[in-house]
Every structure is written in structure tokens, then in C-alpha cells.
Amino acid sequence: NAGVTQTPKFRVLKTGQSMTLLCAQDMNHEYMYWYRQDPGMGLRLIHYSVGEGTTAKGEVPDGYNVSRLKKQNFLLGLESAAPSQTSVYFCASSNPGLAGFGPGTRLLVL
Amino acid sequence: GENVEQHPSTLSVQEGDSAVIKCTYSDSASNYFPWYKQELGKRPQLIIDIRSNVGEKKDQRIAVTLNKTAKHFSLHITETQPEDSAVYFCAASISGATNKLIFGTGTLLAVQP
């Protein structure tokens, strides 16, 4: 039981490039979330999903898109990366209530 | 939407002392309040949680209290140890609905040996 996994662990992008972060969970959880963590600002919710095929905006959705085509996967896309998107990205899942986090993806946008 | 405020942002205590971290939330419909501990470079880990039908919950040296009327909840750590040093986050959600967790901005706890 791997829990919540994220790929990649680390990535460097140039401004304007695109990328997709993958989150996978093997606990059959309905709810999945993407957060970003910046110094002094805690964990801010980007997008979330309450089940396969559903997505919704969180606190800071601009510049990101998500998809939940399969229950176990939640993808976060950056269409045109900006330096302001330099952050650590955490995925989480829950069913419901208790949320377990993935190990994080460290993204640097130059 | 929900807003969670957390205080203090930093807290330094001597080993063996108690530490208290306080949070307030804005949405009276919130009914689930977890606390997470995050060590440097690691993912947040759940340490204790409380639901709105309970006023207090304790697990060994940590306890959480909830005041629904005032929309306050607090984390209490007794007999602190150096390994308690970390960033602590409170959060609030409406369990059974969207379940989205909204987090406070975190408290850096330093336990001095």
C-alpha cells in the first residue's frame, strides 16, 4: 500500500513552459486535493475533486488546470509556467475527513 | 469561503514546558478540525483531529479543544521534547460535503533543550 505518491519529485521549468504533475493514490479515496506551499503562507488549496470526473476550484486556482479521469489519479497542469508558480506542491486524498499527503513536488520556474 | 487564522507564527519553549497554538475559523458549517505536523523537508502528517460534536480530545501529550460558539480551536502539547520541534498547521473543513481542508498559515515550534 503506497498511499499517496507524486511524480516528479523535482522539476525546473523555464517561463512559458508547460508541465503536468501526477498524483496517485491506492486507498480508493473519493476526495483528492492539490495544495501549494510557500514560506509563511501555509498550504493553499489550488483545486480539488470530490470524485472521478469532478473538479472544483480552491483558493488559488489561476494558472492551473486539473483532471480526474480515473479515481486513483489527479493531475495538475501548468499551461504556461510563471516564476510566481515556484513552490512546493502537495497532493492529498481523503475519504472523507482525514487527509493523507504525498511527498511533494518541488518546482522551480526560472 | 472558509478562512482559518493561526497564532502565533513562531513559538519557542523550553523542554518540558507546555505549548499552545490557537486557530479561529470563519465558516460556522465547518465540522472537522485536524492538526498537522510538518518536519523540515517532509510532508504534513496528521497528529490529532476533532469533530464538532466533541469539545476536547486527548492523545498522550497532545490535546485539542474546540469552542464552536467562538469558532476557536487550540492545540496543546504538554511536556514538550526537542523532537516536537516542527511547523504545526491547523485546518478546517465541512466533512460530508466538499471535505476541502483550508489551512492556517502555520506555527513554527522550537523546543529548546
PDB file of all heavy atoms in Angstrom, chain A residues 72-90:
ATOM      1  N   GLN A  72      -8.156   7.013  -9.081  1.00  0.00           N
ATOM      2  CA  GLN A  72      -6.910   6.965  -8.336  1.00  0.00           C
ATOM      3  C   GLN A  72      -5.919   8.056  -8.736  1.00  0.00           C
ATOM      4  O   GLN A  72      -4.898   8.223  -8.068  1.00  0.00           O
ATOM      5  CB  GLN A  72      -6.250   5.586  -8.501  1.00  0.00           C
ATOM      6  CG  GLN A  72      -5.813   5.239  -9.923  1.00  0.00           C
ATOM      7  CD  GLN A  72      -6.897   4.485 -10.697  1.00  0.00           C
ATOM      8  OE1 GLN A  72      -8.090   4.711 -10.502  1.00  0.00           O
ATOM      9  NE2 GLN A  72      -6.457   3.575 -11.554  1.00  0.00           N
ATOM     10  N   ASN A  73      -6.203   8.806  -9.800  1.00  0.00           N
ATOM     11  CA  ASN A  73      -5.241   9.796 -10.273  1.00  0.00           C
ATOM     12  C   ASN A  73      -5.828  11.198 -10.305  1.00  0.00           C
ATOM     13  O   ASN A  73      -6.991  11.392 -10.690  1.00  0.00           O
ATOM     14  CB  ASN A  73      -4.770   9.452 -11.700  1.00  0.00           C
ATOM     15  CG  ASN A  73      -3.989   8.159 -11.755  1.00  0.00           C
ATOM     16  OD1 ASN A  73      -3.442   7.706 -10.755  1.00  0.00           O
ATOM     17  ND2 ASN A  73      -3.926   7.550 -12.933  1.00  0.00           N
ATOM     18  N   PHE A  74      -4.998  12.161  -9.955  1.00  0.00           N
ATOM     19  CA  PHE A  74      -5.416  13.570 -10.001  1.00  0.00           C
ATOM     20  C   PHE A  74      -4.248  14.343 -10.593  1.00  0.00           C
ATOM     21  O   PHE A  74      -3.178  14.378 -10.003  1.00  0.00           O
ATOM     22  CB  PHE A  74      -5.761  14.054  -8.599  1.00  0.00           C
ATOM     23  CG  PHE A  74      -6.524  15.345  -8.543  1.00  0.00           C
ATOM     24  CD1 PHE A  74      -7.376  15.745  -9.570  1.00  0.00           C
ATOM     25  CD2 PHE A  74      -6.431  16.162  -7.429  1.00  0.00           C
ATOM     26  CE1 PHE A  74      -8.103  16.924  -9.492  1.00  0.00           C
ATOM     27  CE2 PHE A  74      -7.155  17.348  -7.334  1.00  0.00           C
ATOM     28  CZ  PHE A  74      -7.986  17.720  -8.358  1.00  0.00           C
ATOM     29  N   LEU A  75      -4.433  14.925 -11.760  1.00  0.00           N
ATOM     30  CA  LEU A  75      -3.365  15.595 -12.477  1.00  0.00           C
ATOM     31  C   LEU A  75      -3.479  17.105 -12.337  1.00  0.00           C
ATOM     32  O   LEU A  75      -4.578  17.665 -12.433  1.00  0.00           O
ATOM     33  CB  LEU A  75      -3.411  15.229 -13.967  1.00  0.00           C
ATOM     34  CG  LEU A  75      -2.786  13.905 -14.391  1.00  0.00           C
ATOM     35  CD1 LEU A  75      -3.503  12.716 -13.772  1.00  0.00           C
ATOM     36  CD2 LEU A  75      -2.766  13.772 -15.901  1.00  0.00           C
ATOM     37  N   LEU A  76      -2.342  17.731 -12.126  1.00  0.00           N
ATOM     38  CA  LEU A  76      -2.279  19.196 -12.049  1.00  0.00           C
ATOM     39  C   LEU A  76      -1.433  19.700 -13.209  1.00  0.00           C
ATOM     40  O   LEU A  76      -0.285  19.292 -13.355  1.00  0.00           O
ATOM     41  CB  LEU A  76      -1.652  19.645 -10.726  1.00  0.00           C
ATOM     42  CG  LEU A  76      -1.475  21.155 -10.547  1.00  0.00           C
ATOM     43  CD1 LEU A  76      -2.831  21.820 -10.349  1.00  0.00           C
ATOM     44  CD2 LEU A  76      -0.571  21.446  -9.335  1.00  0.00           C
ATOM     45  N   GLY A  77      -2.008  20.580 -14.020  1.00  0.00           N
ATOM     46  CA  GLY A  77      -1.304  21.088 -15.184  1.00  0.00           C
ATOM     47  C   GLY A  77      -0.989  22.572 -15.069  1.00  0.00           C
ATOM     48  O   GLY A  77      -1.794  23.349 -14.533  1.00  0.00           O
ATOM     49  N   LEU A  78       0.193  22.926 -15.556  1.00  0.00           N
ATOM     50  CA  LEU A  78       0.577  24.322 -15.705  1.00  0.00           C
ATOM     51  C   LEU A  78       0.746  24.537 -17.205  1.00  0.00           C
ATOM     52  O   LEU A  78       1.628  23.937 -17.824  1.00  0.00           O
ATOM     53  CB  LEU A  78       1.896  24.624 -14.989  1.00  0.00           C
ATOM     54  CG  LEU A  78       1.898  24.711 -13.480  1.00  0.00           C
ATOM     55  CD1 LEU A  78       1.782  23.340 -12.822  1.00  0.00           C
ATOM     56  CD2 LEU A  78       3.174  25.407 -12.994  1.00  0.00           C
ATOM     57  N   GLU A  79      -0.106  25.332 -17.802  1.00  0.00           N
ATOM     58  CA  GLU A  79      -0.060  25.523 -19.262  1.00  0.00           C
ATOM     59  C   GLU A  79       1.088  26.420 -19.682  1.00  0.00           C
ATOM     60  O   GLU A  79       1.738  26.194 -20.693  1.00  0.00           O
ATOM     61  CB  GLU A  79      -1.376  26.090 -19.757  1.00  0.00           C
ATOM     62  CG  GLU A  79      -2.525  25.086 -19.679  1.00  0.00           C
ATOM     63  CD  GLU A  79      -3.801  25.620 -20.294  1.00  0.00           C
ATOM     64  OE1 GLU A  79      -3.854  26.833 -20.598  1.00  0.00           O
ATOM     65  OE2 GLU A  79      -4.743  24.828 -20.467  1.00  0.00           O
ATOM     66  N   SER A  80       1.343  27.476 -18.912  1.00  0.00           N
ATOM     67  CA  SER A  80       2.402  28.434 -19.222  1.00  0.00           C
ATOM     68  C   SER A  80       3.007  28.895 -17.902  1.00  0.00           C
ATOM     69  O   SER A  80       2.501  29.825 -17.283  1.00  0.00           O
ATOM     70  CB  SER A  80       1.830  29.622 -20.010  1.00  0.00           C
ATOM     71  OG  SER A  80       2.851  30.550 -20.303  1.00  0.00           O
ATOM     72  N   ALA A  81       4.071  28.209 -17.481  1.00  0.00           N
ATOM     73  CA  ALA A  81       4.617  28.431 -16.152  1.00  0.00           C
ATOM     74  C   ALA A  81       5.156  29.852 -15.979  1.00  0.00           C
ATOM     75  O   ALA A  81       5.723  30.447 -16.909  1.00  0.00           O
ATOM     76  CB  ALA A  81       5.722  27.415 -15.869  1.00  0.00           C
ATOM     77  N   ALA A  82       4.969  30.374 -14.764  1.00  0.00           N
ATOM     78  CA  ALA A  82       5.456  31.699 -14.388  1.00  0.00           C
ATOM     79  C   ALA A  82       6.312  31.569 -13.133  1.00  0.00           C
ATOM     80  O   ALA A  82       6.098  30.648 -12.329  1.00  0.00           O
ATOM     81  CB  ALA A  82       4.287  32.635 -14.139  1.00  0.00           C
ATOM     82  N   PRO A  83       7.269  32.484 -12.935  1.00  0.00           N
ATOM     83  CA  PRO A  83       8.106  32.419 -11.722  1.00  0.00           C
ATOM     84  C   PRO A  83       7.296  32.393 -10.438  1.00  0.00           C
ATOM     85  O   PRO A  83       7.723  31.795  -9.440  1.00  0.00           O
ATOM     86  CB  PRO A  83       8.962  33.675 -11.833  1.00  0.00           C
ATOM     87  CG  PRO A  83       9.082  33.910 -13.305  1.00  0.00           C
ATOM     88  CD  PRO A  83       7.745  33.523 -13.875  1.00  0.00           C
ATOM     89  N   SER A  84       6.106  33.019 -10.442  1.00  0.00           N
ATOM     90  CA  SER A  84       5.245  33.033  -9.242  1.00  0.00           C
ATOM     91  C   SER A  84       4.726  31.637  -8.894  1.00  0.00           C
ATOM     92  O   SER A  84       4.188  31.440  -7.801  1.00  0.00           O
ATOM     93  CB  SER A  84       4.056  33.974  -9.450  1.00  0.00           C
ATOM     94  OG  SER A  84       3.278  33.549 -10.550  1.00  0.00           O
ATOM     95  N   GLN A  85       4.885  30.689  -9.810  1.00  0.00           N
ATOM     96  CA  GLN A  85       4.443  29.322  -9.540  1.00  0.00           C
ATOM     97  C   GLN A  85       5.554  28.447  -8.961  1.00  0.00           C
ATOM     98  O   GLN A  85       5.358  27.258  -8.728  1.00  0.00           O
ATOM     99  CB  GLN A  85       3.871  28.696 -10.815  1.00  0.00           C
ATOM    100  CG  GLN A  85       2.583  29.396 -11.261  1.00  0.00           C
ATOM    101  CD  GLN A  85       2.012  28.827 -12.540  1.00  0.00           C
ATOM    102  OE1 GLN A  85       2.694  28.772 -13.579  1.00  0.00           O
ATOM    103  NE2 GLN A  85       0.766  28.416 -12.509  1.00  0.00           N
ATOM    104  N   THR A  86       6.702  29.062  -8.707  1.00  0.00           N
ATOM    105  CA  THR A  86       7.763  28.371  -7.970  1.00  0.00           C
ATOM    106  C   THR A  86       7.239  28.068  -6.577  1.00  0.00           C
ATOM    107  O   THR A  86       6.810  28.978  -5.851  1.00  0.00           O
ATOM    108  CB  THR A  86       9.018  29.249  -7.882  1.00  0.00           C
ATOM    109  OG1 THR A  86       9.582  29.381  -9.189  1.00  0.00           O
ATOM    110  CG2 THR A  86      10.043  28.648  -6.936  1.00  0.00           C
ATOM    111  N   SER A  87       7.231  26.801  -6.204  1.00  0.00           N
ATOM    112  CA  SER A  87       6.609  26.407  -4.954  1.00  0.00           C
ATOM    113  C   SER A  87       6.848  24.918  -4.723  1.00  0.00           C
ATOM    114  O   SER A  87       7.438  24.228  -5.561  1.00  0.00           O
ATOM    115  CB  SER A  87       5.096  26.687  -5.012  1.00  0.00           C
ATOM    116  OG  SER A  87       4.497  26.507  -3.751  1.00  0.00           O
ATOM    117  N   VAL A  88       6.385  24.452  -3.570  1.00  0.00           N
ATOM    118  CA  VAL A  88       6.309  23.016  -3.328  1.00  0.00           C
ATOM    119  C   VAL A  88       4.837  22.636  -3.435  1.00  0.00           C
ATOM    120  O   VAL A  88       3.980  23.254  -2.794  1.00  0.00           O
ATOM    121  CB  VAL A  88       6.858  22.639  -1.938  1.00  0.00           C
ATOM    122  CG1 VAL A  88       6.732  21.135  -1.731  1.00  0.00           C
ATOM    123  CG2 VAL A  88       8.303  23.083  -1.799  1.00  0.00           C
ATOM    124  N   TYR A  89       4.560  21.635  -4.243  1.00  0.00           N
ATOM    125  CA  TYR A  89       3.187  21.205  -4.487  1.00  0.00           C
ATOM    126  C   TYR A  89       2.918  19.883  -3.784  1.00  0.00           C
ATOM    127  O   TYR A  89       3.664  18.920  -3.942  1.00  0.00           O
ATOM    128  CB  TYR A  89       2.936  21.067  -5.990  1.00  0.00           C
ATOM    129  CG  TYR A  89       2.958  22.399  -6.701  1.00  0.00           C
ATOM    130  CD1 TYR A  89       4.160  22.964  -7.138  1.00  0.00           C
ATOM    131  CD2 TYR A  89       1.786  23.117  -6.888  1.00  0.00           C
ATOM    132  CE1 TYR A  89       4.191  24.203  -7.748  1.00  0.00           C
ATOM    133  CE2 TYR A  89       1.803  24.355  -7.521  1.00  0.00           C
ATOM    134  CZ  TYR A  89       3.010  24.894  -7.936  1.00  0.00           C
ATOM    135  OH  TYR A  89       3.034  26.131  -8.545  1.00  0.00           O
ATOM    136  N   PHE A  90       1.850  19.876  -3.001  1.00  0.00           N
ATOM    137  CA  PHE A  90       1.450  18.658  -2.298  1.00  0.00           C
ATOM    138  C   PHE A  90       0.077  18.206  -2.791  1.00  0.00           C
ATOM    139  O   PHE A  90      -0.844  19.007  -2.921  1.00  0.00           O
ATOM    140  CB  PHE A  90       1.363  18.899  -0.788  1.00  0.00           C
ATOM    141  CG  PHE A  90       2.687  18.975  -0.103  1.00  0.00           C
ATOM    142  CD1 PHE A  90       3.239  20.203   0.230  1.00  0.00           C
ATOM    143  CD2 PHE A  90       3.384  17.819   0.241  1.00  0.00           C
ATOM    144  CE1 PHE A  90       4.453  20.291   0.881  1.00  0.00           C
ATOM    145  CE2 PHE A  90       4.606  17.893   0.880  1.00  0.00           C
ATOM    146  CZ  PHE A  90       5.140  19.130   1.196  1.00  0.00           C
TER     147      PHE A  90
END
